[in-house]
Amino acid sequence: MFGLIGHLTSLAHAQSVANELGYPEYADRGLDFWCSAPPQIVDTIKVTSLTGETIEGRYVESCFLPEMLANRRIKAATRKIVNAMAHAQKHGIDITALGGFSSIIFENFNLYQIQQVRNIKLEFERFTTGNTHTAYIICKQVEQASRQLGISLSNATVAICGATGDIGSGVCRWLNARTDVKEMLLIARDRARLSALQEELGRGQVVGLEEALPQADIIVWVASMPKGVEIDPNGLKHPCLIVDGGYPKNMATQIQHPEVYVLNGGIVEHSLDIDWRIMSIAKMEVPARQLFACFAESMILEFEKLYTNFSWGRNQIGVEKMEQIGQWSVKHGFKPLLVN
Ligand code: NDP
Ligand code: OCD
C-alpha cells in the first residue's frame, strides 16, 4: 500500500475545506487548534497502471499549515510531520511520499533525530520525498512546453528560482547535462550555496530575482516560500514560459498576459481516472487525473514494488535517477502537464 502525506496551503484554505470533507469541528478554528490537531487519514485511493495493475493507497493529512512557519510555531510544525509519518506507518503503509513542506521541514529541522514517536519507531526507508520524480517532471515540462511555444532551448535563458534547493538543484543538473539550454540564471538567498552549485555545474550566473526576470525566456519557480510573490508580467520577456512548481504556489497572483504562459509545475496527468477526492480540494483542473509528481512517485514505487526511500536527503538528485523514475512514470501512465 502507498501513502501520501500532505497539507493545505493556508489557514483560510483549511477552514474552507474542512466542512466539505466531513470535519465541521475544524471549520471555524484558528491556528492554535490546527497546531494541536492530530493527523488524519482522509482518503482511500485506487490507481490503475497502464500495465493493468491496480494498487491502493491512503492520503494522510498532517494538519500542518504554512502559517506555522511564518508565526514561528516550529515545534508544532515538526510534530505535525513526525506524527503524520508515525500514523502512516501504524496503518501499514509501505511507501509514503512527504508532500510539499513535509520533506522540507523534515530536512531543515533534522527530524532524523526524532525516530521514536510514542510506541512507533519510524522506519525512514518507508518514506520518500518524491523530489526525484518532481524534478524530472519539471524538466520535461520545460523541454516540452517550450517546444509548444516555439521557444528554442539553445537560444533560451532559463532562470531557476530556488536553484540550490533539492528540486532546483536536480533541475539545474538535468538542464546542464541533458539539454543545450543557452544560459542558466541561479537564484536563491544563500550566496555560499549558490557558489557551490555554480562550481558543481561549471556554469550559470548567480543573479538577484529583479535582475533575472526581465532576461528570462523560461522561469522555473521551485522556492520553498510559505507565501507567493507578486510579479509584473509587463516586465518579463514576451513570450515567457513560467513553470511554477511551488506548493503553495510561488506566484501570488494569476497572471493575465497573452504572451506569458504559466504552467502548474511538478504536476502529472494520469492516463486513467483515479478514484479519490483530494485533488479537487487541491484545485486541480481535472481532479480525477491530475496530481502532484511527488505523490505519483510513491505510486510508481508501489507499482514497482520498490519499498525504499528512492528520494532522500538533500541536493543529491542526479540525472540517472531522474531518468530511471521517468521511465517508470511513462510505463505506468503518468505524463507531464503541458500548456492547453
Ligand atoms: P528546498 O527547501 O530544498 O529548497 C528551496 C529553495 O528555495 C532553496 O534554493 C532556497 O534557498 C530557496 N528559497 C527559499 N526561500 C526563497 C526566497 N524567498 N527567495 C528565493 N529563494 C528562496 O525545497 P524543495 O526543493 O524540496 O521544494 C521546493 C518547492 O517545491 C516547495 O514549494 C515545495 O512545496 C514544492 N514541491 C512541489 C512538489 C510537486 O509535486 N509539485 C513536490 C515537492 C515539493 P535559500 O534558502 O538560500 O534562499
Ligand atoms: C506538493 O508539494 C504536494 C503537496 C500536496 C498537498 C496535497 C493537498 C491535498 C489536499 C487534500 C487535503 C484535505 C484535508 C482536509 C483536512 C480536514 C481536517 C482533518
Side-chain angles (χ1 to χ4, degrees):
M1 184 160 60
F2 69 91
L4 319 167
I5 291 178
H7 59 84
L8 293 159
T9 52
S10 67
L11 177 60
H13 185 205
Q15 289 168 331
S16 72
V17 304
N19 241 338
E20 198 183 317
L21 278 159
Y23 295 89
E25 68 279 20
Y26 286 57
D28 54 358
R29 311 302 291 266
L31 191 61
D32 281 343
F33 177 84
W34 287 84
C35 283
S36 56
Q40 305 271 351
I41 290 183
V42 302
D43 216 356
T44 297
I45 307 160
K46 278 207 177 95
V47 198
T48 301
S49 160
L50 280 183
T51 64
E53 187 187 353
T54 299
I55 55 171
E56 199 176 302
R58 302 280 182 271
Y59 173 76
V60 181
E61 171 57 46
S62 68
C63 292
F64 163 80
L65 293 172
E67 284 91 342
M68 290 175 194
L69 294 181
N71 290 287
R72 306 297 304 157
R73 305 290 294 267
I74 305 302
K75 181 108 189 179
T78 57
R79 294 309 307 179
K80 296 283 135 194
I81 306 311
V82 290
N83 286 343
M85 291 168 77
H87 201 64
Q89 195 172 306
K90 195 171 84 186
H91 284 81
I93 302 176
D94 302 293
I95 184 73
T96 299
L98 300 177
F101 270 94
S102 318
S103 70
I104 296 170
I105 291 170
F106 187 90
E107 293 292 341
N108 289 359
F109 298 103
N110 211 1
L111 300 190
Y112 295 95
Q113 290 167 347
I114 311 180
Q115 201 170 0
Q116 192 71 38
V117 183
R118 292 176 296 280
N119 60 340
I120 304 271
K121 184 161 189 244
L122 290 177
E123 294 161 18
F124 296 135
E125 63 279 10
R126 286 170 173 243
F127 300 90
T128 186
T129 64
N131 286 349
T132 311
H133 190 230
T134 304
Y136 167 82
I137 289 297
I138 289 174
C139 292
K140 289 289 141 186
Q141 289 180 300
V142 168
E143 290 174 3
Q144 295 173 17
S146 60
R147 216 173 297 135
Q148 284 183 300
L149 301 178
I151 299 172
S152 155
L153 287 186
S154 58
N155 289 319
T157 295
V158 183
I160 304 103
C161 185
T164 53
D166 197 36
I167 299 171
S169 60
V171 168
C172 289
R173 287 182 196 108
W174 180 280
L175 293 178
N176 185 34
R178 292 286 193 270
T179 73
D180 60 352
V181 65
K182 185 173 151 211
E183 183 62 273
M184 286 159 67
L185 306 179
L186 312 177
I187 306 152
R189 294 164 303 178
D190 187 293
R191 299 291 297 197
R193 283 201 293 262
L194 281 163
S195 299
L197 176 68
Q198 191 184 35
E199 198 175 318
E200 180 199 326
L201 297 171
R203 65 184 288 199
Q205 286 182 51
V206 172
V207 285
L209 186 61
E210 303 289 305
E211 196 188 327
L213 294 183
Q215 300 180 49
D217 301 282
I218 301 171
I219 306 167
V220 176
W221 287 92
V222 278
S224 51
M225 300 189 292
K227 260 184 125 170
V229 294
E230 308 262 350
I231 62 169
D232 176 7
N234 296 308
L236 302 176
K237 267 192 163 177
H238 301 140
C240 180
L241 168 65
I242 300 181
V243 181
D244 187 350
Y247 183 84
K249 290 279 150 232
N250 282 178
M251 275 181 304
T253 42
Q254 283 223 316
I255 290 187
Q256 300 282 348
H257 189 289
E259 286 189 284
V260 178
Y261 303 87
V262 183
L263 200 50
N264 233 340
I267 304 295
V268 287
E269 187 155 317
H270 193 48
S271 310
L272 301 165
D273 281 2
I274 300 176
D275 182 11
W276 60 2
R277 54 185 186 157
I278 49 170
M279 285 303 128
S280 51
I281 291 152
K283 300 195 179 100
M284 293 292 164
E285 253 175 54
V286 186
R289 298 229 169 163
Q290 295 172 354
L291 62 146
F292 298 95
C294 60
F295 283 180
E297 180 168 310
S298 72
M299 297 173 184
I300 291 167
L301 296 177
E302 172 75 30
F303 280 129
E304 290 294 319
K305 306 280 170 291
L306 259 179
Y307 299 118
T308 169
N309 43 9
F310 189 82
S311 308
W312 206 239
R314 243 35 197 172
N315 294 32
Q316 290 166 24
I317 297 177
V319 291
E320 286 78 17
K321 277 188 108 174
M322 288 167 76
E323 224 147 39
Q324 174 67 84
I325 197 89
Q327 280 169 16
W328 291 326
S329 178
V330 172
K331 171 179 166 189
H332 294 294
F334 298 100
K335 284 176 273 190
L337 188 72
L338 295 177
V339 177
N340 281 322

